Amino acid sequence: MVRRSPWMLVLRGLIGAVFQVALFATLLLVPAGTWQWPRAIQFLVVYFIVLSVSIVALGVLAPASLEARLGAPTAKSQPVADRVATALIILAIAAWFVFIPIDVFRLQLLPPMSLGVSVLGAIVAVFGYGVTFAVLLQNAFAAPIVKDQSDRGQQLVDTGLYGFIRHPFYLGMLLMFAGIALWLESYAGVLALIVVFGALVTRVTVEERTLRETLPGYSAYTEQVRYRIIPYVW
């Protein structure tokens, strides 16, 4: 497998970060019907900064992990079931982002939020992102799709965060999204994460079946580490 220059990977990652933040801005601000939403602007600015810094850090500290995350969205070795699961996750996350401004500006399903809770949400969001970043430092095979990575010499990772739960990246995602919902002052957005969680459950089912078939030692690992995403729950 040809290794690309870390700095070329960083450049690709930063370009992708611009598009990702632009997408989040569209999903939030268009349904809101206004740019005058300070919490959303704060989130987008902070997220872009944190994302950009983490991309550069990965390029320096773990270029193989960065390359894995920048891989193609589909692959010949990707199971059809994972294509479906990936589509469900993307749709669930997009719908969740759109729901938040609708709730904040129109539905207002739950009571108003205090500034303190919103600040706490920002802290939780950054912490959740930190969990995903730690996962990428620990596992160079955390690709965005499920596929056989034996050609990359995939090895079982069962230390660090993987010593506690089998899919810590998804836990980090859920923490980050819960924090974002609070940051943007939507209690209902936190509850709506059940839709995203359901999509992740579908992905985990496909992913674990593939790992049992292609990654030596994974079946024994699942017996050693019982919980998939949420410690002591599932």
Side-chain angles (χ1 to χ4, degrees):
M1 182 176 179
V2 178
R3 291 293 180 185
R4 296 175 176 82
S5 164
W7 295 112
M8 288 301 296
L9 293 173
V10 168
L11 179 59
R12 283 181 55 200
L14 292 175
I15 293 173
V18 172
F19 280 100
Q20 185 178 136
V21 172
L23 175 61
F24 286 173
T26 301
L27 294 174
L28 289 172
L29 299 177
V30 171
T34 178
W35 290 87
Q36 303 301 315
W37 188 6
R39 291 283 186 273
I41 300 302
Q42 290 167 9
F43 157 66
L44 291 168
V45 171
V46 172
Y47 181 72
F48 179 71
I49 293 172
V50 172
L51 180 59
S52 298
V53 170
S54 67
I55 289 170
V56 175
L58 284 175
V60 174
L61 301 173
S65 294
L66 179 58
E67 184 171 10
R69 293 307 298 176
L70 295 176
T74 60
K76 292 182 178 179
S77 56
Q78 181 187 14
V80 174
D82 186 60
R83 297 175 191 267
V84 175
T86 300
L88 288 175
I89 290 173
I90 292 172
L91 289 173
I93 292 174
W96 177 79
F97 266 101
V98 169
F99 171 76
I100 289 179
I102 292 174
D103 177 53
V104 171
F105 287 91
R106 295 174 180 82
L107 300 178
Q108 299 177 354
L109 295 174
L110 295 172
M113 188 177 298
S114 68
L115 175 61
V117 175
S118 180
V119 171
L120 176 62
I123 294 171
V124 171
V126 174
F127 175 77
Y129 185 87
V131 171
T132 65
F133 180 73
V135 168
L136 297 181
L137 289 178
Q138 295 172 13
N139 185 2
F141 304 98
I145 61 174
V146 174
K147 62 178 181 177
D148 181 357
Q149 297 189 68
S150 55
D151 61 324
R152 295 184 64 223
Q154 184 176 14
Q155 298 178 348
L156 176 67
V157 178
D158 58 1
T159 58
L161 293 173
Y162 286 90
F164 299 96
I165 53 175
R166 305 204 295 257
H167 301 277
F169 189 89
Y170 298 147
L171 174 62
M173 279 180 55
L174 290 171
L175 287 172
M176 183 179 72
F177 288 159
I180 290 170
L182 295 177
W183 194 348
L184 300 179
E185 302 180 314
S186 174
Y187 285 119
V190 178
L191 299 179
L193 276 175
I194 189 65
V195 176
V196 176
F197 180 74
L200 289 177
V201 168
T202 302
R203 156 60 74 80
V204 166
T205 302
V206 176
E207 185 170 353
E208 295 211 325
R209 183 167 63 243
T210 301
L211 288 172
R212 283 190 174 93
E213 294 172 352
T214 63
L215 183 59
Y218 192 81
S219 293
Y221 168 68
T222 62
E223 296 177 2
Q224 175 187 352
V225 178
R226 293 178 54 194
Y227 302 103
R228 296 171 177 86
I229 298 177
I230 304 177
Y232 306 108
V233 177
W234 186 80

